[in-house]
């Protein structure tokens, strides 16, 4: 992707593309280490999102947890993540990206152990909230850190690696769930997460501080010496430090700008709407409750757990489609196609769940096929592109504030979806619940048609200029 990133950093999503055809600078080992280690935060994020679907059934049986309690075991993580995302901006400014990552890694390990050793539902909820806090901080700081230490010629692809690591984490968790499901050891499912977490924790002590953060704190000499370690050429390091120096004069503005500037408000509200749409596709219903969905369709226990693992594979693979095509095909066509596929897939699933197709092998295979189409539809469209668009539409001066608002919205809506799904199944029934999500996805096609700009190949400066001229949101891109 050119000037776009997947799941981008709040403040330093690149403001302009590296010149096309620019020669890529040789990768310095120190930079690779920093990027790879920070990307483990994405892996941890994915692992913790993915693990609960496999563990939930066993937890329910051991603690006789009600639907309400199960919903909170799932959703306390999103609550923690929303709180973490709200606080992460200030924390990473005050204490630095590196220390924030160390804190997040510590919470990953501690939260994983609290969950694995929990002796009651409330302890589990506390452990999940700690993991959520870790995810909320990590999902803000890690992409930010990666974009600040990587060189401009690779920044887009290195940050997009973070989103790929999330989907890889989900996949690995689904596979580990499948393997551990035979023994029913949900404590191992949750506890095993502490292993990569410990890796992440130890490694993060060796991370260099972000030069950009050091500059923000006025520590110029340290910033320059770290930048020299991260770049193959000292002249390049000096140049980047000079560029940062030039940029940091533009102080970030937030709430005041939101209240007084109508155009900034429009961008923030579009970001919020995009994240609400992403979550109301119902993606996390599948991520958290996939085995339960397979059970509703009529699969036995091993079918449920392996079906879920295949969901993880498709989610991971289809993310590559977004990386390959978003800059050629464009955001709007990909989003519209994605929502159409998701809507149609869920409508067929709802029909199968109504019993109209009977409980046959054929209906089982049809159910799994449409669910996989739904996942693929999400993974190449709303999954990554909503994050991309949220960074593209925010004016530079308000980017921290704007992206914090949309990221928190993502987690809050995520929590609402996670907390209401089992209740919806009980009150509306499976078929009507999926009709509801199918309808929402159909509605989002129109939302994209009317409100979402095409930002492919358009510079962020041009988007900002049109936004400030009061051009309708749909036309601030091309
Ligand atoms: C969403 C997450 C979701 C993940 C699935 C992300 O873009 O924000 O809520 O779990 O995709 O891959």
């Amino acid at each position: 992707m050119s000037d776009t990133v997947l799941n981008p950093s709040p403040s330093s999503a690149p403001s302009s593309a590296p010149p096309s055809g620019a020669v890529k600078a040789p990768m310095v080992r120190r930079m690779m280490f920093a990027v790879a280690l920070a990307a483990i935060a994405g892996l941890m994020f994915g692992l913790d999102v993915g693990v609960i679907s496999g563990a939930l059934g066993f937890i329910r049986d051991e603690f006789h947890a009600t639907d309400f309690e199960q919903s909170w075991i799932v959703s306390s993580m999103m609550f923690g993540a929303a709180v973490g995302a709200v606080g992460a901006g200030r924390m990473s400014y005050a204490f630095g990206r590196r220390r924030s990552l160390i804190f997040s890694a510590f919470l990953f390990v501690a939260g994983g152990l609290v969950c694995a050793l929990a002796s009651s539902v409330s302890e589990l909820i506390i452990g999940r909230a700690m993991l959520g806090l870790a995810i909320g901080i990590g999902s803000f700081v890690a992409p930010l850190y990666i974009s600040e230490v990587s060189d401009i010629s690779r920044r887009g692809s290195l940050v997009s690696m973070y989103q790929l690591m999330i989907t890889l984490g989900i996949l690995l968790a689904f596979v580990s769930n499948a393997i551990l499901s035979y023994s029913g050891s949900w404590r191992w499912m949750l506890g095993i997460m502490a292993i990569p977490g410990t890796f992440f924790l130890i490694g993060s002590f060796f991370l260099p501080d972000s030069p950009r953060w050091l500059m923000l704190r006025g520590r110029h000499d340290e910033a320059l010496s770290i930048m020299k370690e991260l770049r193959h050429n000292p002249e390049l390091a000096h140049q980047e430090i000079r560029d940062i120096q030039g940029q940091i004069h533009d102080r970030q503005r937030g709430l005041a700008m939101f209240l007084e500037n109508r155009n900034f408000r429009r961008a923030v509200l579009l970001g919020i709407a995009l994240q609400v749409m992403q979550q109301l596709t119902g993606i996390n219903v599948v991520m958290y409750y996939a085995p339960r969905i397979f059970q509703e369709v009529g699969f036995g226990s091993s079918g449920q757990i392996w079906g879920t693992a295949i969901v993880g594979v498709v989610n991971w693979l289809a993310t590559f489609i977004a990386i390959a095509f978003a800059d050629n095909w464009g955001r709007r066509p990909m989003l519209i196609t994605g929502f159409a596929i998701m809507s149609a897939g869920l409508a067929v699933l709802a029909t199968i769940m109504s019993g109209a197709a009977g409980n046959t092998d054929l209906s089982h295979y049809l159910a799994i096929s449409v669910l996989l189409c739904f996942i693929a539809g999400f993974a190449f469209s709303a999954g990554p592109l909503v994050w991309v668009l949220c960074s593209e539409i925010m004016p530079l001066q308000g980017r921290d504030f704007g992206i914090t608002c949309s990221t928190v919205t993502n987690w809050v809506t995520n929590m609402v979806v996670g907390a209401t799904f089992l209740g919806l199944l009980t009150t509306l029934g499976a078929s009507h619940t999926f009709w509801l999500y199918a309808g929402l996805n159909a509605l989002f096609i129109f939302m994209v048609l009317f409100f979402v700009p095409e930002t492919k190949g358009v510079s962020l400066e041009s988007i900002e200029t049109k936004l400030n001229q009061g051009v309708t949101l749909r036309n601030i891109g091309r």
Side-chain angles (χ1 to χ4, degrees):
M1 299 192 139
S2 62
D3 63 346
T4 57
V5 288
L6 300 177
N7 212 356
S9 74
S11 67
S12 47
S15 61
S16 59
S20 67
V23 180
K24 289 201 164 125
M27 283 256 234
V28 173
R29 232 190 262 155
R30 187 96 174 109
M31 180 182 97
M32 271 161 64
F33 167 77
V35 169
L37 203 98
I40 297 184
L43 188 80
M44 295 301 302
F45 175 160
L47 285 171
D48 284 304
V49 165
V51 73
I52 198 64
S53 67
L56 197 60
F58 300 111
I59 292 172
R60 176 193 58 207
D61 296 346
E62 181 162 334
F63 293 122
H64 308 291
T66 62
D67 275 356
F68 180 75
E69 286 171 327
Q70 289 176 60
S71 297
W72 274 103
I73 294 171
V74 173
S75 308
S76 49
M77 191 186 87
M78 284 77 99
F79 174 76
V83 174
V86 172
R90 273 166 195 255
M91 181 197 280
S92 67
Y93 179 73
F95 301 109
R97 288 50 164 139
R98 182 176 151 268
R99 284 198 209 116
S100 305
L101 283 173
I102 293 176
F103 184 56
S104 155
F106 169 76
L107 283 173
F108 271 123
V109 177
L113 293 177
V114 170
C115 285
L117 302 172
S119 57
S120 66
V121 168
S122 30
E123 282 177 28
L124 253 177
I125 292 178
I126 293 172
R128 294 269 302 161
M130 287 167 72
L131 289 174
L133 214 53
I135 292 179
I137 298 168
S139 65
F140 188 102
V141 180
L144 174 63
Y145 178 80
I146 295 175
S147 72
E148 289 182 347
V149 295
S150 39
D151 66 66
I152 184 114
S153 64
R154 293 196 173 75
R155 196 173 283 168
S157 56
L158 289 179
V159 182
S160 57
M161 214 173 86
Y162 178 76
Q163 171 80 8
L164 262 183
M165 291 292 272
I166 297 177
T167 52
L168 180 64
I170 295 177
L171 166 62
L172 292 179
F174 285 172
V175 171
S176 131
N177 288 346
I179 294 168
L180 292 169
S181 67
Y182 294 102
S183 56
S185 34
W186 66 266
R187 289 182 190 278
W188 273 105
M189 289 180 192
L190 298 175
I192 217 164
M193 304 300 154
I195 299 175
T198 308
F199 238 147
F200 179 34
L201 179 61
I202 297 173
S204 52
F205 281 97
F206 296 96
L207 286 174
D209 265 316
S210 145
R212 191 184 153 97
W213 176 75
L214 289 167
M215 292 290 288
L216 282 170
R217 309 299 290 185
R219 292 157 63 177
H220 297 198
D221 294 345
E222 282 172 79
L224 179 61
S225 101
I226 291 185
M227 190 63 100
K228 282 184 181 159
E229 288 175 28
L230 294 168
R231 301 289 176 265
H232 73 290
N233 165 346
E235 184 39 44
L236 205 69
H238 278 283
Q239 179 59 46
E240 276 193 50
I241 290 291
R242 280 195 294 274
D243 289 350
I244 297 174
Q245 179 92 58
Q247 279 171 3
I248 57 181
H249 289 307
D250 284 341
R251 269 192 64 77
Q252 281 287 312
R253 298 187 60 211
L255 190 61
M257 183 166 157
F258 181 79
L259 294 176
E260 76 205 24
N261 182 333
R262 179 177 170 271
N263 289 322
F264 179 48
R265 252 192 329 265
R266 291 192 305 146
V268 175
L269 293 178
L270 178 60
I272 289 177
L274 280 165
Q275 290 288 9
V276 169
M277 283 158 60
Q278 190 207 54
Q279 291 301 312
L280 292 188
T281 55
I283 182 64
N284 286 313
V285 157
V286 182
M287 291 298 146
Y288 304 140
Y289 298 107
R292 174 76 183 255
I293 297 172
F294 286 120
Q295 181 194 355
E296 294 280 340
V297 173
F299 277 86
S301 59
S302 91
Q304 289 168 29
I305 221 93
W306 284 107
T308 306
I310 297 172
V311 163
V313 174
V314 172
N315 186 36
W316 182 58
L317 290 180
T319 307
F320 287 99
I321 304 180
I323 294 175
F325 293 111
D327 284 331
N328 306 327
W329 198 15
R331 285 60 160 150
R332 275 167 56 93
M334 286 181 85
L335 278 174
I336 291 169
T337 312
F339 283 127
I341 291 176
M342 286 188 274
S343 178
L346 290 180
V348 176
L349 193 64
T351 311
I352 296 173
M353 284 179 163
S354 70
N359 188 4
T360 60
D361 277 354
L362 184 67
S363 72
H364 292 179
Y365 289 121
L366 188 60
I368 196 164
S369 316
V370 290
L371 200 65
L372 294 178
C373 287
F374 167 80
I375 295 292
F378 176 86
F380 81 76
S381 68
L385 294 183
V386 161
W387 293 104
V388 168
L389 278 159
C390 281
S391 85
E392 292 175 330
I393 57 174
M394 302 296 172
L396 190 59
Q397 252 201 326
R399 189 162 290 155
D400 273 13
F401 177 83
I403 297 185
T404 299
C405 289
S406 54
T407 306
V408 172
T409 305
N410 174 287
W411 286 110
V412 172
T413 324
N414 191 328
M415 180 173 77
V416 172
V417 169
T420 51
F421 178 64
L422 291 181
L424 283 176
L425 279 188
T426 316
T427 47
L428 296 183
S431 172
H432 287 130
T433 303
F434 284 97
W435 273 118
L436 176 69
Y437 280 112
L440 285 169
N441 278 289
L443 174 71
F444 298 153
I445 298 177
F446 295 98
M447 299 274 292
V448 176
L449 283 172
F450 291 119
F451 298 110
V452 177
E454 179 53 78
T455 51
K456 164 187 90 165
V458 186
S459 78
L460 300 189
E461 290 72 20
S462 149
I463 296 173
E464 185 165 339
T465 306
K466 287 192 184 156
L467 180 77
N468 287 336
Q469 286 166 346
V471 171
T472 49
L473 284 174
R474 199 185 56 164
N475 295 320
I476 59 173
R478 346 196 97 215

